[in-house]
Amino acid sequence: MEEPKKKAPPAWATQLLTWYCKPELLEDLQGDLNEYYDRNVKTKGIRKARLIYIIDVLKFFRLYTIRKPEFLNLLISWIMIGSYIKTSGRSIVRNKLFSAINIIGLAVSMSVGLVLIATLSDVLSYDKFHANYNKIHRVLSRYEYLGDKGNNFMATTSLKAGRLIKEEFTGIEEVAILQSGFDSDIKVGEKIVPLHGYWANESFFKVFSFELLHGHTATALKEPFSMVISETAAKKLFGNEEAIGKVVTYNNDKSYTITGIVKEPPFFSHIHFEMLGSLSTKESDKKALDEEMVWDSVWNTWVYLLLPQNADIPLLKSNLAQLSKREDPSVKNTHIELDLQPLSSIMFRDSLGNQMGPVLGSTLLWVFGGLCFVVILSACFNYTNLSIARSLKRTREVGIRKVIGALNSNVATQFIVEAVIISLSALAMALLLFFLLRPHFLSIEPDIQKMFTLHLSPVTILYFVGFAIFVGIAAGIFPSVFFSNINAIQVLKSATSFRGMNRITGRKILIVIQFCISIILVSASIGVYRQYQHYISFDLGFNTENVLNISLQGNKAELLKKEISELPEVKGISQSLLVTSVGNYWGTNMKYHGTPNDSCGVSYNSIDENYIPLMGHQLIAGKNFSVKPDSVEESEVIVNMQVLKRFNIANQDPQKAIGDVLKVDRKNLTIIGVMKDFQYGRSNNKTSQETVFRYLDRKANIMNIKIQSNDLIGTYAKIESIWKKIDPVHPFEAKFYNQQIEEAFAGLRATLKLAGFLAFLAISIASLGLLGMVVFTTEIRLKEVSIRKVMGASEGKLLFLLGKGFVFLLLISTVISLPIVILFFQNVVFPNTANHAPLNIFEMLLGVLAILLLALLMIGTQTLKVARANPAEVLKNE
Amino acid sequence: MKGTNLGEFEELVLLTIAAMVTEAYSVAICDDLEKKTKRSVKLGVVHAVLNRLEEKGLAKSSLGEATNARGGKRKRYYTVTNAGKASLLKSKELRDQYWSLIPELTLKRI
């Protein structure tokens, strides 16, 4: 005989038909299809026949064949939903403790989820206001020197590439070119306002939809020496007067005409500016332009392409590759790789250099999302765990429902509805927590505040509700399957014989997992905190105590210095090019005549004669710089020990090295001093670096002030008022050195805050889950405990009996998770970070101990309650 | 008024039902039409038309006996109702009227 299965039409298609077709049409239709199928099997073969069958089933999906939702069923399910809500509500109220545990646990974890959703919806709303949002692409470039592929792509490209694309490429509607550097003080009459902005070409307003309040999109940025300013800038410059057509002075030098007023760029724009200067201004200076029109000058120009609908992106990319192939020979040993990036991915792409502003990057999002997922999962575990643990009390209810006529699906719906009710009430609480969390989340890092608002819109609220329902279903799915599969007869015959408890191992595993997560997060946070403390109190090799660094912002220092030095609290003033040890680098090349073929990069700071004593840098040999007039050619240098080692100058003897000559930055400089090595970069960078001090021969950027005062804030205010007197235009930018060092590790601090917070959440949720389990298991054993007590067991013994299982679980979690954290630090974190502090296992153990104590406290109080119960009361009730 | 007028394909299907007397069910009608009209007739279309005819009250249907063919599913046999017969006659009369008006010469040229 032939196998009937092979001969039959595909079962799923038949099922689909049964599902959608009206019952009165079904039989006849199925028969017809079968008849055709049999016929096709004979004439065309099984495979084709099956295919035709499937197609026919899909084709019969028509208005007149579709089953209409039946009114009666609808009515019944509506009535039942009402009943489900009622019974669920009762069950929630009846078990106040368990419901509270579930609601609090879900609320806490959902609040993080809400932050994530709000963040996501913020990020996704970036740049959406552009009418051509989907058609704008940015040109990226990657700089490759001598085949070194180590560099990442950058958001910038060369001006030359932008112009070539504009002139030569077909199939591109518009090319917007932006260039940094249009920042300066703008002067109108006597008023000076510092503004920030970009150079932009005339297509800027055609590509982007920044709204022009005055002026024409086509011509605003066309003529040289024209500029567009934002509404706020206009207000700052002109007050309520008409700004358009006015002439302003840029940088005390050139005059520009204001040709347009643009509405403030929206918050969710990756481009922010207060003014735009016409790029044609730069093009009017032929010589300067030629210098800039270099293929490998890819550092300060952003190029945006407006492509037609359905543009052929691969073709465009291959054209870009050809362009760089053609232009590469114009610069030696260099290859510039070009790529395109749609506007929608700007906020998500990681490690792209030269961004216009802060971007989120997808890694951070994934990490945050992953942690959220873990926390929410943990709360869902709790729900599942507790619901099934309580199954004994609900099985009879389910049994009776089934006997009366509830289908499996009805029971399943009931439990899902119950879970969703719980998650919705959790949402209300989570929303409250969200409002509490929001300011803290935004203040984790300054950049975050610039990127997100986390404001709620109706759409986000909708997402929230959807999210809550989803979490409810996720939490309820397992219990609902469990309950709907209950055998009614068995349950009703004898409730105690029903083994709902055979999943005990599974639940134990869930508890262990939850505690592992908590312990991992806590000990990792402690580990990171130790590193952070270590880095910000790192011995840099000089003294940063009570040093205030003022950013001079182009001001001449003399006047300020004179005024400030009159303050009694000020112990010293020096000037420098930059602030070291906070992640600023200034470098050049260095050569030594002893080893003519060897040259190396060297980091430097240019300082005046007061800097070394003020900062407490230690000179091993030689002397400090002495005062020199500005006009004298640079001739002296102070080097660190590493420089002597690098070139083996005078056999590394500092005394003998004095007087030797180094070629730094193509200048011959005499070594007048040798200082001890100090930490030039951030303290998590490598220590031994070739570093020199040069004499400051131009305007300083930073003024360092050593203060000796009990009232640092008061002194700061005094200095600020002096600044305001001397420079009323620019805001006072000054920070204490130690504060700057802390800010240099803001990223680490943000991670720490986030990890610590999530650890806290994980602990709360795990503890809640444990509490629920303990309450439940002890309640179940109440009778057993009472009998034991009657027989003479002591309270202590009972405590041990009830608690030992849980304590064992906690110990297992510790044994599993602590080594994971230690191995992670030693094998993943430490090899990649310099100057790390040693792992303090003792501290981590303390953290773990705190968790364990919390858990023990919970186990203890609950078991004690049971152990102390009066056995007579318990046994009487039976 | 909708329901009294017959479309071309509807009329053909109704005629086929009438011609096949007791053997008119969807697949048979489909095959017969295919044979006579020499064009491909899709089951789905015939099915929809049968459904519509029944809705208009021009045909009625009843389920037959189960057989081993068709995977044990019963056939739905169609018969023409009185209203269906009336509308068939009406459209024939209409046509005849026009035919009687055409001079013989006009058509002989074909």
Side-chain angles (χ1 to χ4, degrees):
Chain A
M1 258 186 79
E2 274 182 39
E3 292 165 76
K5 221 182 170 177
K6 233 186 155 181
K7 234 185 134 183
W12 66 265
T14 316
Q15 240 165 31
L16 179 70
L17 186 71
T18 325
W19 175 71
Y20 75 70
C21 190
K22 274 184 197 162
E24 62 265 27
L25 290 179
L26 179 65
E27 184 171 3
D28 162 48
L29 199 57
Q30 263 180 340
D32 287 353
L33 286 176
N34 282 338
E35 199 173 333
Y36 261 85
Y37 176 75
D38 289 340
R39 203 186 287 176
N40 284 334
V41 169
K42 275 180 201 130
T43 54
K44 292 173 180 158
I46 282 193
R47 285 182 102 197
K48 202 141 188 213
R50 285 170 76 95
L51 186 70
I52 292 174
Y53 185 85
I54 294 170
I55 293 173
D56 276 346
V57 165
L58 296 178
K59 267 164 81 177
F60 265 112
F61 191 82
R62 294 171 183 217
L63 261 184
Y64 75 93
T65 59
I66 304 172
R67 189 200 292 251
K68 305 277 180 299
E70 280 165 54
F71 181 66
L72 193 64
N73 276 358
L74 214 64
L75 195 68
I76 286 176
S77 58
W78 265 113
I79 294 170
M80 286 319 282
I81 281 210
S83 147
Y84 295 154
I85 292 176
K86 197 186 277 172
T87 44
S88 303
R90 283 175 187 160
S91 128
I92 291 168
V93 174
R94 194 168 53 234
N95 301 295
K96 287 197 182 64
L97 178 70
F98 290 107
S99 313
I101 288 176
N102 280 329
I103 292 179
I104 294 173
L106 283 173
V108 165
S109 63
M110 271 162 64
S111 62
V112 197
L114 298 190
V115 172
L116 180 70
I117 291 175
T119 311
L120 260 180
S121 87
D122 271 9
V123 180
L124 286 174
S125 53
Y126 259 84
D127 295 319
K128 282 271 165 66
F129 65 94
H130 294 302
N132 299 319
Y133 177 73
N134 290 317
K135 301 196 291 183
I136 303 174
H137 287 243
R138 180 161 73 177
V139 180
L140 309 179
S141 51
R142 197 171 61 81
Y143 183 83
E144 196 178 307
Y145 186 70
L146 282 172
D148 172 20
K149 292 186 186 297
N151 292 328
N152 281 321
F153 266 102
M154 285 174 302
T156 46
T157 189
S158 57
L159 182 60
K160 187 170 183 180
R163 299 213 5 188
L164 287 176
I165 291 170
K166 185 171 183 142
E167 283 156 19
E168 297 176 7
F169 279 39
T170 51
I172 293 175
E173 287 180 7
E174 289 291 344
V175 179
I177 301 175
L178 276 119
Q179 200 171 47
S180 64
F182 193 64
D183 305 287
S184 180
D185 295 348
I186 300 296
K187 199 171 158 194
V188 181
E190 285 308 301
K191 206 186 270 176
I192 300 173
V193 179
L195 292 177
H196 152 81
Y198 300 97
W199 301 100
N201 70 343
E202 73 272 13
S203 303
F204 181 80
F205 287 109
K206 287 183 203 149
V207 175
F208 297 110
S209 310
F210 293 106
E211 197 184 325
L212 265 181
L213 298 172
H214 299 281
H216 297 289
T217 49
T219 55
L221 290 168
K222 196 164 186 183
E223 298 303 319
F225 297 102
S226 52
M227 66 189 267
V228 171
I229 57 176
S230 75
E231 216 179 348
T232 336
K235 198 146 262 167
K236 274 191 213 162
L237 285 168
F238 300 99
N240 290 325
E241 283 174 50
E242 185 77 13
I244 196 144
K246 294 266 169 60
V247 175
V248 297
T249 319
Y250 173 88
N251 201 14
N252 271 331
D253 182 18
K254 299 270 172 39
S255 295
Y256 283 72
T257 315
I258 292 172
T259 50
I261 312 290
V262 69
K263 210 171 154 191
E264 211 58 29
F267 185 87
F268 292 121
S269 163
H270 80 281
I271 306 174
H272 285 276
F273 56 86
E274 291 168 303
M275 58 175 183
L276 295 169
S278 59
L279 195 67
S280 51
T281 314
K282 290 194 114 182
E283 286 161 4
S284 62
D285 183 353
K286 202 79 194 129
K287 201 173 144 239
L289 184 70
D290 283 346
E291 266 171 39
E292 250 185 77
M293 283 286 285
V294 187
W295 180 242
D296 66 345
S297 167
V298 291
W299 320 106
N300 64 348
T301 310
W302 293 270
V303 174
Y304 294 85
L305 310 180
L306 178 61
L307 304 180
Q309 208 79 46
N310 311 321
D312 188 356
I313 304 284
L315 178 77
L316 200 56
K317 282 188 182 178
S318 76
N319 285 346
L320 286 175
Q322 271 176 7
L323 178 71
S324 57
K325 203 170 170 189
R326 194 187 79 198
E327 293 296 328
D328 276 345
S330 68
V331 279
K332 243 191 198 166
N333 295 334
T334 307
H335 167 57
I336 306 289
E337 188 182 338
L338 299 176
D339 197 5
L340 286 179
Q341 177 190 36
L343 208 54
S344 55
S345 85
I346 282 183
M347 290 304 289
F348 291 106
R349 183 152 171 173
D350 280 312
S351 58
L352 199 61
N354 285 347
Q355 291 277 13
M356 280 197 154
V359 297
L360 187 65
S362 50
T363 319
L364 201 67
L365 215 53
W366 279 115
V367 170
F368 187 35
L371 286 173
C372 277
F373 180 72
V374 166
V375 172
I376 292 169
L377 200 68
S378 194
C380 287
F381 277 170
N382 273 357
Y383 186 86
T384 304
N385 220 345
L386 290 176
S387 314
I388 295 181
R390 272 172 27 226
S391 62
L392 219 55
K393 296 191 170 173
R394 305 277 311 257
T395 44
R396 204 167 281 175
E397 175 199 334
V398 172
I400 288 173
R401 270 182 193 279
K402 285 200 164 182
V403 167
I404 291 173
L407 302 172
N408 279 4
S409 60
N410 294 118
V411 177
T413 323
Q414 183 201 342
F415 282 91
I416 296 265
V417 165
E418 192 169 323
V420 170
I421 290 176
I422 289 213
S423 73
L424 283 176
S425 17
L427 176 68
M429 208 171 133
L431 214 56
L432 225 70
L433 286 174
F434 170 78
F435 288 119
L436 286 177
L437 277 180
R438 188 165 65 184
H440 295 287
F441 179 75
L442 286 175
S443 63
I444 282 181
E445 227 204 321
D447 271 355
I448 289 185
Q449 211 145 13
K450 275 186 228 157
M451 267 192 286
F452 307 120
T453 56
L454 301 188
H455 282 320
L456 296 186
S457 66
V459 182
T460 1
I461 298 273
L462 216 64
Y463 283 142
F464 283 2
V465 174
F467 169 69
I469 292 175
F470 174 76
V471 169
I473 291 174
I477 192 92
F478 196 65
S480 84
V481 168
F482 173 79
F483 281 111
S484 64
N485 286 336
I486 279 177
N487 184 336
I489 299 171
Q490 211 183 0
V491 171
L492 291 177
K493 205 164 63 188
S494 131
T496 41
S497 75
F498 178 71
R499 302 296 297 164
M501 303 296 291
N502 53 4
R503 286 163 207 264
I504 253 189
T505 32
R507 293 213 309 278
K508 279 183 180 164
I509 290 174
L510 290 188
I511 288 193
V512 169
I513 292 176
Q514 284 184 332
F515 270 89
C516 280
I517 293 171
S518 315
I519 293 175
I520 287 175
L521 282 174
V522 166
S523 45
S525 305
I526 292 175
V528 176
Y529 180 70
R530 168 96 344 252
Q531 297 302 322
Y532 174 69
Q533 280 296 338
H534 171 71
Y535 282 138
I536 60 169
S537 58
F538 195 76
D539 182 11
L540 300 166
F542 59 97
N543 194 359
T544 58
E545 202 67 37
N546 292 344
V547 173
L548 185 69
N549 292 322
I550 303 176
S551 168
L552 285 171
Q553 303 174 61
N555 276 303
K556 286 243 162 52
E558 282 70 31
L559 198 57
L560 196 65
K561 189 174 170 180
K562 191 172 150 277
E563 293 255 350
I564 290 176
S565 60
E566 281 165 11
L567 291 175
E569 300 96 326
V570 172
K571 289 293 157 229
I573 297 175
S574 69
Q575 295 172 45
S576 58
L577 179 70
L578 55 93
V579 179
T580 56
S581 316
V582 294
N584 298 327
Y585 297 87
W586 211 290
T588 182
N589 274 311
M590 172 171 74
K591 259 188 168 179
Y592 178 57
H593 58 81
T595 50
N597 294 326
D598 189 14
S599 81
C600 81
V602 60
S603 311
Y604 73 88
N605 193 4
S606 296
I607 56 172
D608 71 353
E609 64 284 352
N610 300 319
Y611 186 86
I612 290 182
L614 184 126
M615 291 291 182
H617 282 285
Q618 292 173 22
L619 285 175
I620 300 172
K623 58 177 173 47
N624 188 6
F625 295 116
S626 47
V627 189
K628 278 186 222 67
D630 284 349
S631 51
V632 171
E633 188 83 0
E634 186 183 7
S635 63
E636 297 172 338
V637 67
I638 295 176
V639 303
N640 71 349
M641 280 301 290
Q642 190 62 29
V643 174
L644 299 191
K645 272 187 209 147
R646 178 70 177 75
F647 294 121
N648 198 19
I649 299 172
N651 286 327
Q652 301 181 25
D653 181 347
Q655 301 294 346
K656 287 185 185 153
I658 306 293
D660 215 333
V661 176
L662 270 178
K663 195 167 196 167
V664 178
D665 207 2
R666 296 186 208 137
K667 288 177 196 162
N668 282 319
L669 303 181
T670 316
I671 299 174
I672 60 159
V674 178
M675 61 180 159
K676 241 174 84 178
D677 287 347
F678 71 100
Q679 188 72 28
Y680 181 89
R682 272 200 313 211
S683 46
N684 61 345
N685 289 64
K686 68 178 168 67
T687 305
S688 310
Q689 213 171 359
E690 293 82 7
T691 311
V692 299
F693 281 155
R694 297 165 66 177
Y695 191 70
L696 195 66
D697 60 349
R698 53 176 177 149
K699 260 205 264 184
N701 292 335
I702 305 290
M703 178 176 278
N704 325 93
I705 298 171
K706 182 93 173 173
I707 297 169
Q708 198 173 44
S709 158
N710 293 325
D711 179 20
L712 286 176
I713 299 166
T715 315
Y716 181 91
K718 280 184 201 164
I719 295 174
E720 182 170 9
S721 64
I722 294 174
W723 171 276
K724 281 205 175 125
K725 209 164 62 191
I726 291 171
D727 181 358
V729 176
H730 300 98
F732 182 55
E733 278 176 29
K735 271 173 189 155
F736 284 99
Y737 212 139
N738 288 347
Q739 191 189 346
Q740 282 177 311
I741 290 172
E742 276 179 40
E743 276 168 18
F745 290 96
L748 194 61
R749 194 168 53 188
T751 318
L752 191 65
K753 276 187 187 168
L754 212 61
F757 175 66
L758 286 170
F760 169 72
L761 289 192
I763 295 172
S764 328
I765 292 165
S767 307
L768 284 174
L770 182 70
L771 179 69
M773 284 308 297
V774 172
V775 169
F776 176 74
T777 32
T778 46
E779 257 175 24
I780 292 233
R781 294 176 76 177
L782 201 55
K783 215 197 294 181
E784 178 201 333
V785 170
S786 303
I787 293 174
R788 280 178 192 273
K789 221 170 166 186
V790 171
M791 304 298 254
S794 68
E795 271 183 18
K797 277 211 170 129
L798 287 174
L799 219 57
F800 176 72
L801 175 83
L802 291 170
K804 69 174 177 196
F806 293 107
V807 175
F808 181 64
L809 292 184
L810 295 181
L811 287 180
I812 290 182
S813 329
T814 316
V815 169
I816 293 175
S817 47
L818 213 50
I820 292 179
V821 176
I822 292 171
L823 284 177
F824 175 74
F825 268 98
Q826 280 178 339
N827 295 323
V828 181
V829 180
F830 287 166
N832 298 320
T833 36
N835 298 334
H836 58 80
L839 201 61
N840 194 332
I841 294 175
F842 178 68
E843 273 183 358
M844 288 187 175
L845 274 176
L846 271 186
V848 173
L849 209 64
I851 299 179
L852 294 189
L853 274 181
L854 189 72
L856 282 180
L857 195 73
M858 244 157 3
I859 297 172
T861 49
Q862 287 305 317
T863 48
L864 200 63
K865 209 169 84 187
V866 174
R868 284 212 174 140
N870 183 352
E873 288 286 324
V874 176
L875 293 174
K876 191 176 70 188
N877 282 343
E878 268 303 305
Chain B
M1 198 176 89
K2 202 195 161 200
T4 48
N5 286 324
L6 277 178
E8 190 251 359
F9 195 68
E10 279 177 338
E11 191 181 351
L12 277 179
V13 171
L14 204 54
L15 283 170
T16 320
I17 297 174
M20 294 176 86
V21 198
T22 56
E23 288 302 309
Y25 77 100
S26 48
V27 177
I29 295 168
C30 196
D31 290 344
D32 194 61
L33 278 173
E34 208 156 55
K35 208 162 71 197
K36 293 216 170 83
T37 58
K38 304 270 186 322
R39 61 189 193 200
S40 122
V41 178
K42 289 274 178 283
L43 179 67
V45 181
V46 172
H47 219 275
V49 168
L50 284 173
N51 197 62
R52 209 175 320 139
L53 285 175
E54 200 172 359
E55 242 172 52
K56 286 180 179 175
L58 303 178
K60 62 174 189 246
S61 67
S62 59
L63 286 172
E65 293 291 311
T67 54
N68 260 340
R70 295 167 59 89
K73 305 287 181 213
R74 289 176 292 177
K75 292 172 187 170
R76 182 177 290 275
Y77 289 108
Y78 287 85
T79 48
V80 184
T81 60
N82 284 338
K85 281 172 195 160
S87 77
L88 275 180
L89 281 174
K90 202 176 139 201
S91 71
K92 185 175 184 304
E93 266 169 31
L94 188 72
R95 270 150 227 250
D96 285 346
Q97 245 176 45
Y98 279 109
W99 276 109
S100 63
L101 293 177
I102 301 169
E104 259 176 62
L105 262 172
T106 335
L107 280 170
K108 276 201 173 151
R109 295 242 176 101
I110 296 172

